[in-house]
């Protein structure tokens, strides 16, 4: 069994639950600069091996994996330190906010032989897993196009002072989920074009960046896809629409995976139409805390997937290379919002020597 240390105990709460309930990883140490939060999590989970010093986990020879859930701007440095300490790494999305550090990390992964996995949790939610399995089994034929969205009423979020800072962008905090779905099915996105705006609700609150966005993508083989995000207005009832959804349209069928309703629909190549809902047992596996926050089941799925990849020496996707590609695509989207023009992803990568 592989041993894990968790850095950052806000989002890391889900990973604590995941590790403590897993038969493939063992929780060794938790770490946060905020000792009160360490004590709070220790009491919550009855797990008392905590430290406020990242170095303590890096220097522990018994820890195989470091799982990173710190603020985005710290990810690259924390990943670098973990790799230099000869640890495998899980890092939450978005992988990094500065591609100037990407080349060094690619070289470190190559040099150390350690694995890095991006915790893109949405791929590991039950409907998304089922959709992928059906797609790979050929139930909808060849893929024609992908559509994905993440729409949420996050007006409550605007009360957080840091949400109104110029550094905060819904593009990275929200759209990174549907954009990852697009890259999962069309990894070779070549160009993107998008428009965005700050809604009247966003303007009233004092938002500095777009809260409403629509994008079109073109892959190297000519296929196209679209993504949309809207974050500061009411949403449809869950029976009618989902906060996050991905639709695959194929030559012989179509499918749709919804989050967080645990709902999946498919029209397969035989013409059969099916809508799948998962019951209470599955709901409790994925959502272990109050409301439907901290979706720990996805984290357990991806930790075990990563553990298997280490044990079997296979690649766990998204790996560092794919994660960097997603950040480059998000930066291309950002540039398109500013210029009102299509942007090639290769232009972003080349500007960083990648």
């Amino acid at each position: 069994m592989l041993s894990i240390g968790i850095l950052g105990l806000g989002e890391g709460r889900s990973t604590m639950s995941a590790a403590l309930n897993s038969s493939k990883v063992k929780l060794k140490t938790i770490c946060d600069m905020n000792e009160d939060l360490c004590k709070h999590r220790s009491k919550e989970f009855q797990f008392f091996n905590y430290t406020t010093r990242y170095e303590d986990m890096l220097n522990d020879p018994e820890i195989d994996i470091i799982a990173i859930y710190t603020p985005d701007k710290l990810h690259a440095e924390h990943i670098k330190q973990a790799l230099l300490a000869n640890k495998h790494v899980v890092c939450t999305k978005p992988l990094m906010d500065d591609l100037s550090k990407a080349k060094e990390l690619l070289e470190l992964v190559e040099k150390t032989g350690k694995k890095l996995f991006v915790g893109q949790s949405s791929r590991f939610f039950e409907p998304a897993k089922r959709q992928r399995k059906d797609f790979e089994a050929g139930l909808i034929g060849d893929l024609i196009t992908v559509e994905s969205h993440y729409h949420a009423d996050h007006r409550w979020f605007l009360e957080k002072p840091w949400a109104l800072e110029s550094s905060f962008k819904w593009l990275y905090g929200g759209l990174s989920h549907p954009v990852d779905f697009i890259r999962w099915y069309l990894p070779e996105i070549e160009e993107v074009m998008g428009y965005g705006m700050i809604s009247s609700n966003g303007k009233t609150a004092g938002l500095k960046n777009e809260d409403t966005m629509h994008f079109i993508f073109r892959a190297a083989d000519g296929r196209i896809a679209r993504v949309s995000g809207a974050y500061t207005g009411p949403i449809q009832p869950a029976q009618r629409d989902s906060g996050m959804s991905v639709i695959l349209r194929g030559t012989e069928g179509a499918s749709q995976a919804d989050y967080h309703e645990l709902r999946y629909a498919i029209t397969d190549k035989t013409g059969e139409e099916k809508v799948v809902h998962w019951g209470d047992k599955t709901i409790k596996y994925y959502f272990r805390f109050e409301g439907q926050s901290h979706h720990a089941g996805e984290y357990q799925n991806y930790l075990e997937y990563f553990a298997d990849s280490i044990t079997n020496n296979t690649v766990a996707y998204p790996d560092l290379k794919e994660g960097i590609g997603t950040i480059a695509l998000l930066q291309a989207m950002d540039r398109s919002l500013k210029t009102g023009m299509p942007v090639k992803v290769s232009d972003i990568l080349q500007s960083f020597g990648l």
Side-chain angles (χ1 to χ4, degrees), residues 260-280:
H260 48 68
E261 285 70 42
L262 279 161
R263 181 174 58 206
Y264 171 66
I266 183 169
T267 304
D268 69 21
K269 60 187 179 184
T270 68
E272 182 185 359
E273 296 178 346
K274 191 187 303 179
V275 179
V276 181
H277 294 269
W278 283 266
D280 195 49

Side-chain angles (χ1 to χ4, degrees), residues 20-169:
L20 289 168
N21 284 282
S22 175
S23 60
K24 295 187 178 183
V25 294
K26 181 182 179 182
L27 184 58
K28 177 74 192 312
T29 311
I30 58 173
C31 177
D32 199 285
M33 286 175 62
N34 181 345
E35 189 167 10
D36 287 339
L37 184 55
C38 290
K39 289 176 179 175
H40 180 73
R41 291 284 179 251
S42 292
K43 186 177 178 184
E44 180 182 5
F45 290 99
Q46 291 296 293
F47 178 88
F48 297 98
N49 190 27
Y50 75 80
T51 178
T52 58
R53 288 166 34 88
Y54 187 27
E55 295 80 7
D56 292 343
M57 293 202 301
L58 295 174
N59 295 330
D60 185 344
E62 291 184 8
I63 291 178
D64 302 298
I65 303 167
I66 297 283
I68 297 168
Y69 300 93
T70 50
D72 302 349
K73 63 184 179 182
L74 303 175
H75 288 176
E77 182 59 30
H78 287 154
I79 291 167
K80 177 182 173 180
Q81 289 174 274
L83 291 171
L84 287 170
N86 219 31
K87 310 296 187 190
H88 298 288
V89 183
V90 173
C91 184
T92 188
K93 62 85 199 163
L95 175 64
M96 62 181 73
D97 66 349
D98 181 3
L99 282 177
S100 68
K101 299 167 184 173
K103 204 169 185 179
E104 182 183 17
L105 294 185
L106 284 166
E107 289 167 359
L108 266 178
V109 164
E110 184 73 26
K111 182 180 174 183
T112 62
K114 294 298 175 182
K115 296 181 183 296
L116 184 143
F117 168 71
V118 184
Q120 199 68 53
S121 59
S122 308
R123 295 189 184 192
F124 294 85
F125 193 56
E126 203 65 33
K129 286 171 59 189
R130 174 66 175 270
Q131 183 177 43
R132 184 74 182 190
K133 182 182 175 186
D134 286 354
F135 170 72
E136 290 178 350
L139 296 191
I140 67 165
D142 295 328
L143 185 66
I144 295 173
T145 189
V146 192
E147 302 152 32
S148 189
H149 73 247
Y150 179 18
H151 301 151
D153 186 352
H154 281 328
R155 285 176 288 181
W156 59 272
F157 205 76
L158 302 177
E159 294 169 15
K160 297 176 183 286
W162 56 266
L164 303 179
E165 293 175 5
S166 57
S167 59
F168 176 75
K169 295 185 177 183

Side-chain angles (χ1 to χ4, degrees), residues 1 35 45 52 59 71 85 104 127 140 155 169 188-189 195-196 206-208 255 263 279 298 330 339 343 350:
M1 187 184 291
E35 189 167 10
F45 290 99
T52 58
N59 295 330
E104 182 183 17
I140 67 165
R155 285 176 288 181
K169 295 185 177 183
E188 301 300 327
I189 295 295
Y195 291 102
L207 267 186
K208 306 298 187 297
S255 65
R263 181 174 58 206
E298 294 164 54
L330 287 164
T339 62
V343 177
Q350 285 168 12

Side-chain angles (χ1 to χ4, degrees), residues 271-303:
E272 182 185 359
E273 296 178 346
K274 191 187 303 179
V275 179
V276 181
H277 294 269
W278 283 266
D280 195 49
K281 182 181 177 184
T282 308
I283 291 169
K284 287 176 179 173
Y285 173 78
Y286 281 97
F287 300 108
R288 304 175 187 181
F289 308 123
E290 66 287 340
Q292 285 191 321
S293 66
H294 289 279
H295 23 109
E298 294 164 54
Y299 289 62
Q300 186 168 333
N301 289 350
Y302 79 48
L303 276 189

